[in-house]
Amino acid sequence: VQLQASGGGLVQAGDSLRLSCEVSGRTLSRYLIDWVRQAPGKEREFVASIRWSGGITYYADSLKGRFTISRDKAKNTVYLQMNSLKPEDTAVYYCAAKVLYSESYFAWGQGTLVTVSS
């Protein structure tokens, strides 16, 4: 599986941004695609997850209501819609794939930088 993340950029606080993660390589029925982020000087942080089959979603509690993860099966793409962005959302955002019920990721996208100015 190959993942290609895109959509990052420089925005102002309160703006919205949508990230995309294009997935290729094999069928995804037993996989989850996660978004994780890493801010400068901080540890990696889980953002959201979606089951490819069925579309069940999971979110970090602190981000519920502002971020929405979705997928388009026809385009093999997972999206992260981010609203009401805050400077503390500044980070490199990665998409990653793991097998359902697995603890570890087996594929990562290259990361896309989101910078939110105050």
Side-chain angles (χ1 to χ4, degrees), residues 1 12 14 21 28 41 54 58 81 87-88 90 94 96:
V1 172
Q12 292 187 331
C21 178
L28 302 173
Y58 310 89
Q81 177 68 42
E88 51 263 42
T90 294
Y94 300 90

Side-chain angles (χ1 to χ4, degrees), residues 7-19 66-67 80-86 89 114-116:
L10 173 63
V11 297
Q12 292 187 331
D15 285 352
S16 297
L17 201 61
R18 189 178 78 163
L19 305 182
R66 290 198 300 123
F67 287 17
L80 183 69
Q81 177 68 42
M82 305 184 293
N83 298 328
S84 302
L85 283 162
K86 304 175 181 180
D89 293 320
V114 173
T115 304
V116 184

Side-chain angles (χ1 to χ4, degrees), residues 2-6 19-24 33-35 52 75-80 94-97 108-109:
Q2 292 82 43
L3 307 176
Q4 179 77 29
S6 62
L19 305 182
S20 299
C21 178
E22 186 174 349
V23 187
S24 60
I33 303 295
D34 287 9
W35 285 99
W52 190 261
K75 295 183 178 179
N76 267 11
T77 300
V78 173
Y79 301 101
L80 183 69
Y94 300 90
C95 54
W108 288 85

Side-chain angles (χ1 to χ4, degrees), residues 24-77:
S24 60
R26 67 202 292 189
T27 58
L28 302 173
S29 60
R30 294 183 66 248
Y31 298 157
L32 295 96
I33 303 295
D34 287 9
W35 285 99
V36 297
R37 68 185 184 183
Q38 188 163 21
K42 295 189 177 180
E43 298 208 346
R44 194 171 65 199
E45 175 188 21
F46 169 77
V47 173
S49 180
I50 188 165
R51 290 194 190 185
W52 190 261
S53 177
I56 298 172
T57 58
Y58 310 89
Y59 295 93
D61 287 342
S62 62
L63 299 175
K64 283 181 183 176
R66 290 198 300 123
F67 287 17
T68 303
I69 190 171
S70 62
R71 69 168 172 13
D72 184 331
K73 282 188 169 183
K75 295 183 178 179
N76 267 11
T77 300

